[in-house]
Every structure is written in structure tokens, then in C-alpha cells.
């Protein structure tokens, strides 16, 4: 799953906002593709609106809860290791402040400061908030901005749900005739938007991303539709 990592969050508040936005777009994309594949597959087997609604809604809930649980576990684990690293750092600062000051000086010098300036900067940072300085420079984390696992879980849940609603509504609202074309076209249009947006947020070439994204969605719908049609024809 895509969540802000240490390296990326070095971009500061803007960088981490963009990461969240990108994660949200990718989560919505997951919701669109997996639910579209599901409902188009069922539509290959049956015209029953109740069956489509049941399958689509079950897919939406299963997908969004699985995304949320996965995100909760992954962010909790990350947070645990960050807290553990901070605890070690706190102890070291208490037990060997001189060594820690030298360490901070080294790290700042490695980043291009002259020895004297690095020493001066390290002393000032240590005087103001030693733990925060070590957390940022040494561990690459901001102790005031650790990601909340519940936050991340909710964000994934919502992103997937928003994406999943599109194919679900597109398949159950129209009558049986135009049902499939409406769903396929609206899904492909949505995949243009999510592919383009995530590429722009990640500074990649949007055209390729859009084409790959549409191809992925079309493949998912094609495969499940074929499977559904075969099962429907076999009277399963
Ligand atoms: Zn340290």
C-alpha cells in the first residue's frame, strides 16, 4: 500500500499532503477497478438487479474494510518502530549527551555544513529540542507528526468506497440494455481521471499512466465478464 514514507515526508507539509492525496487517488482507483470487475462479471451471468446490488455492495464493503485493515496494520507497525527508535534516542540523549552532540555534528557536517557551523548548529538544536533534532536529522521522522493508524485506515476506507460507488451505481441504476455500456464507459472515464491525477501527483508522464490504467481496468472487466458469461451460459 502507498503511505507516506520517511524519505518522501522530507518534503515537509506539502510533500506529505501530496502523498496523502496520491494514496487517496490510488485507493479510489482500486475501488473502481475491483468493483467494476466484480459487477461486470455478475452482469455476464445474470440480469438480476438484486444480484448485482448484493455482489457490488459486498465487494465494496469487503474491499474497503480489507484496505482499511491493511493500512491500519501497516501504519501501526511503522509507528511502533518509530516510537521504539525515539525511545532509544531519548535514552541515549540522557545517558551520553556528549556522544549524541558529536553524532549530530557529524550528521550535519555530512550534509554539507563546515565543522564549526555544524557544531554550532548542533549545539543550538540540542539546546532547543534535542530529541526532535535527532529524530529529524538522524531518523528522518518528525516526532510531532507520526501517522495515526486510525486516520490512515479511515482514509483508505473512504477512498476505496468512493471509487467503488461509481461502478456499483452505473450497473444498478440503468435498465438491463444499456447497463454494461454505461458501466464500461463511466469506469474507463473515471480511470482516465485517476490515472492522470496520480501521474501528475507523482510527476510521471500522464499519458502513459492513463493508458496503463485504462488497460488494467478493461482487462479486469473483460476477464470477469467472460467468466460470468461462461458460468451464466452453463446455468451455474
Ligand atoms: Zn542521536
Amino acid at each position: 500500500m502507498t503511505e507516506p514514507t520517511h524519505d518522501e515526508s522530507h518534503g515537509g507539509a506539502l510533500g506529505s499532503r501530496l502523498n496523502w492525496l496520491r494514496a487517496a487517488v490510488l485507493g479510489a482507483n482500486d475501488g473502481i477497478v475491483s468493483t467494476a470487475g466484480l459487477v461486470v462479471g455478475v452482469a455476464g451471468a445474470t440480469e438480476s438487479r438484486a444480484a448485482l446490488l448484493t455482489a457490488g455492495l459486498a465487494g465494496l464493503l469487503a474491499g474497503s474494510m480489507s484496505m482499511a485493515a491493511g493500512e491500519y496494520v501497516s501504519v501501526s507497525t511503522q509507528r511502533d518502530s518509530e516510537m521504539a527508535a525515539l525511545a532509544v534516542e531519548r535514552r541515549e540523549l540522557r545517558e551520553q549527551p556528549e556522544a549524541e552532540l558529536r553524532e549530530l555534528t557529524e550528521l550535519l557536517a555530512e550534509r554539507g555544513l563546515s565543522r564549526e557551523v555544524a557544531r554550532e548548529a548542533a549545539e543550538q538544536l540540542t539546546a532547543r529540542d534535542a530529541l526532535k533534532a535527532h529524530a529529524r536529522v538522524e531518523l528522518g521522522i518528525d516526532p510531532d507528526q507520526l501517522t495515526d493508524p486510525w486516520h490512515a485506515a479511515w482514509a483508505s476506507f473512504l477512498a476505496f468506497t468512493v471509487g467503488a460507488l461509481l461502478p456499483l451505481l452505473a450497473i444498478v441504476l440503468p435498465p438491463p440494455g444499456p447497463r454494461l455500456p454505461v458501466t464500461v464507459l463511466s469506469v474507463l472515464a473515471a480511470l482516465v481521471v485517476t490515472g492522470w491525477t496520480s501521474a501528475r501527483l507523482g510527476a510521471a508522464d500522464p499519458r502513459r499512466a492513463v493508458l496503463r490504467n485504462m488497460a488494467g481496468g478493461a482487462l479486469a472487466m473483460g476477464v470477469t465478464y467472460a467468466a460470468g458469461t461462461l458460468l451464466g451460459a452453463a446455468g451455474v
Side-chain angles (χ1 to χ4, degrees), residues 44-232:
T46 175
E47 286 199 343
S48 158
R49 180 169 273 140
L52 286 165
L53 183 60
T54 307
L57 201 56
L60 180 155
L61 290 171
S64 56
M65 283 161 69
S66 138
M67 294 275 289
E71 194 64 5
Y72 182 84
V73 169
S74 135
V75 172
S76 296
T77 306
Q78 183 187 329
R79 195 185 168 98
D80 287 350
S81 61
E82 287 172 348
M83 302 279 252
L86 285 173
V88 169
E89 205 57 43
R90 200 175 284 121
R91 201 184 58 228
E92 287 175 353
L93 281 165
R94 199 173 51 234
E95 291 171 357
Q96 35 184 323
E98 255 313 306
E100 286 297 300
L101 183 61
R102 275 199 303 279
E103 181 193 48
L104 188 56
T105 306
E106 286 301 320
L107 289 168
L108 291 170
E110 272 170 27
R111 295 192 173 186
L113 297 182
S114 75
R115 197 136 289 280
E116 303 80 63
V117 175
R119 177 74 186 193
E120 175 67 23
E123 280 170 1
Q124 286 191 20
L125 287 169
T126 303
R128 195 157 38 152
D129 189 339
L131 182 63
K132 188 184 252 185
H134 280 259
R136 283 186 171 161
V137 177
E138 191 183 338
L139 308 172
I141 58 182
D142 186 339
D144 300 333
Q145 291 191 337
L146 298 187
T147 309
D148 181 347
W150 282 108
H151 229 125
W154 266 112
S156 297
F157 181 90
L158 283 178
F160 188 97
T161 299
V162 167
L165 277 174
L166 176 94
L168 178 59
L169 294 176
I171 204 98
V172 296
L173 292 183
R179 181 177 278 165
L180 271 173
V182 165
T183 303
V184 170
L185 288 178
S186 52
V187 163
L188 291 178
L191 293 180
V192 171
V193 176
T194 53
W196 191 86
T197 311
S198 69
R200 288 312 302 258
L201 291 173
D205 176 11
R207 271 170 312 173
R208 279 196 196 172
V210 163
L211 287 177
R212 285 195 199 112
N213 206 28
M214 288 174 80
L219 184 66
M221 290 186 287
V223 167
T224 58
Y225 183 69
T229 308
L230 286 173
L231 288 175

